[in-house]
Amino acid sequence: MTPDTEAGLAEMIKSAKGPLAIQGGGTRGIKPEGDVLSVGGLSGITLYEPGALTIVAQAGTPLSEIDAALAAENQRLAFEPMDHRTLLGTAGEPTLGGVIAANVSGPRRIQGGGARDYALGVRYVDGAGTIVKNGGRVMKNVTGYDLVKLMSGSFGTLGVLTEVSLKVLPTPETQGSLMLRGLDDVQAVRAMAAAMGSPFEVSGAAHCASIMDDGPVTVLRVEGFEASVAYRLDRLKELLTPIASEMIIADAVMTDWVWKSVRDAELWKDVPEDIWRVSCKPSDAPALMARSGAVGWYFDWAGGLIWVRMPEGVDLRAKLGAFDGHATVVRASDRTRRALPVFHPEASGVARITAGLRAKFDPRGILNAGLMASA
């Protein structure tokens, strides 16, 4: 089912007799139970005001269309959403609705926030077929309950997005990266913490043993005017000299390649293992990986996000034990998915709140049924 109007979508949901699997571009490999209900027919930019740094588009609008419109005005999406197609081997086009529904946020999240922090307003259809509007089309709006944040990251279980308004930002003049070689995980987290705590406005902090062929590398990105970027990179080198003895500065072209690889986990597209995503306190990351039994890993968000390669079928959550965070299966064999839930099991109190919200927004339990509990 592919409605081409919001009213048509509402009628389909209202008249549904069973579960509905909500789909945007189909690039994230998520397969809920039920008949596929695509928002691909709800596409197009409905409002773009570069001077006000706002854009409004229907949920099925391809992200590439939005990126092109923004680039023409030297602007961009600030939260740098991941493109899952390389890692997952999926086709299709990522859509705006899918990005917001999954709160897809890339390396720049540590500086400016995630996707939900730039969503100004949404329109959606709830599980009863009711059209709901929340938020606005400008940065200053107060409209009661902040359902915009609630819908961001709900994976279509509370409602089907039909339109999203976003704050956008200017594209910096240039970028560069400071690359520190030879640090172990503990040293790297220490270096990234020092960089993030500095006044030099680092917009990306990652650590990986396999970005370069000759050993581990820790990467710190800086963006802005050319003279400012050069100055801040030099100051970062001075700041981190007590931690790292070997440092090089990567130019804008190299920086673009490195951070696209970090964002999209490109280097792991052909590896056979299961791929997990762990969110945790950055200071906990080295110890978590030391007991993980993982084949490989790399840190993003200064250690707050870990991409992990695990042997097929091995439960990473059991290896990590209790910790302040969560582990999500991103790519895995059918055997793993049958044995392990995709999302980290919720604490009992959180689970009760979640169930109560779903009962209000989707009383029949038909939107992406079973998604958060399993695959």
Side-chain angles (χ1 to χ4, degrees):
M1 297 182 286
T2 309
D4 56 8
T5 65
E6 185 180 65
L9 172 66
E11 184 57 36
M12 288 181 182
I13 293 175
K14 188 179 297 184
S15 60
K17 303 300 182 184
L20 297 173
I22 314 307
Q23 185 178 84
T27 63
R28 274 173 262 286
I30 298 173
K31 299 176 182 178
E33 60 187 66
D35 297 328
V36 174
L37 177 59
S38 171
V39 299
L42 304 175
S43 181
I45 296 171
T46 53
L47 175 70
Y48 179 30
E49 297 183 347
L53 296 175
T54 57
I55 191 168
V56 184
Q58 294 189 79
T61 308
L63 216 56
S64 57
E65 182 179 331
I66 292 172
D67 287 339
L70 294 176
E73 297 292 338
N74 199 33
Q75 294 180 346
R76 68 182 183 186
L77 295 176
F79 50 91
E80 199 173 7
M82 176 184 184
D83 186 340
H84 290 75
R85 289 176 292 184
T86 298
L87 179 63
L88 301 182
T90 51
E93 285 279 338
T95 62
L96 177 61
V99 164
I100 298 302
N103 192 33
V104 181
S105 310
R108 204 173 287 116
R109 180 186 180 278
I110 58 170
Q111 181 193 47
R116 62 163 49 95
D117 299 301
Y118 292 89
L120 303 173
V122 293
R123 292 178 66 94
Y124 66 92
V125 180
D126 68 14
T130 303
I131 297 172
V132 182
K133 175 186 176 183
N134 185 253
R137 295 185 170 194
V138 295
M139 282 181 276
K140 292 182 179 179
N141 75 83
V142 181
T143 55
Y145 294 114
D146 193 354
L147 300 183
V148 178
K149 298 292 192 295
L150 189 62
M151 297 299 293
S152 301
S154 65
F155 287 85
T157 59
L158 302 180
V160 183
L161 292 172
T162 59
E163 185 182 80
V164 178
S165 57
L166 290 172
K167 174 187 175 182
V168 298
L169 291 180
T171 302
E173 181 179 277
T174 192
Q175 60 181 346
S177 291
L178 181 63
M179 307 181 78
L180 295 69
R181 299 196 182 195
L183 302 184
D184 62 27
D185 286 352
V186 174
Q187 292 169 324
V189 168
R190 180 184 165 204
M192 291 188 290
M196 294 307 302
S198 76
F200 305 127
E201 297 181 0
V202 173
S203 67
H207 171 71
C208 182
S210 60
I211 289 182
M212 310 291 268
D213 293 331
D214 53 352
V217 63
T218 309
V219 191
L220 304 167
R221 180 177 59 189
V222 173
E223 300 171 292
F225 294 109
E226 186 171 356
S228 173
V229 167
Y231 171 81
R232 285 181 284 148
L233 288 171
D234 284 341
R235 298 293 78 75
L236 279 172
K237 284 184 70 174
E238 293 177 2
L239 175 70
L240 299 175
T241 296
I243 303 174
S245 59
E246 184 179 358
M247 291 181 273
I248 62 171
I249 292 177
D251 63 14
V253 175
M254 181 67 170
T255 293
D256 188 66
W257 175 81
V258 167
W259 286 100
K260 186 172 182 293
S261 297
V262 170
R263 183 195 73 185
D264 297 341
E266 287 188 343
L267 296 176
W268 288 358
K269 63 180 180 179
D270 296 321
V271 300
E273 297 87 6
D274 296 339
I275 305 298
W276 293 66
R277 188 177 186 269
V278 175
S279 291
C280 64
K281 293 192 300 184
S283 57
D284 289 346
L288 288 175
M289 289 302 97
R291 63 177 185 259
S292 67
V295 175
W297 59 83
Y298 73 87
F299 300 159
D300 196 0
W301 301 355
L305 171 64
I306 315 173
W307 288 92
V308 187
R309 288 169 57 188
M310 290 296 292
E312 181 183 337
V314 175
D315 186 352
L316 175 59
R317 298 181 191 114
K319 293 284 188 180
L320 297 182
F323 71 101
D324 189 6
H326 53 85
T328 304
V329 179
V330 178
R331 190 190 74 194
S333 65
D334 290 339
R335 181 167 73 92
T336 300
R337 289 183 177 272
R338 284 193 298 267
L340 301 172
V342 170
F343 296 98
H344 203 105
E346 295 175 326
S348 59
V350 175
R352 285 194 297 271
I353 294 172
T354 300
L357 284 170
R358 289 186 190 140
K360 293 290 186 182
F361 283 80
D362 180 21
R364 292 181 292 164
I366 63 171
L367 301 180
N368 282 350
L371 176 62
M372 305 303 275
S374 59

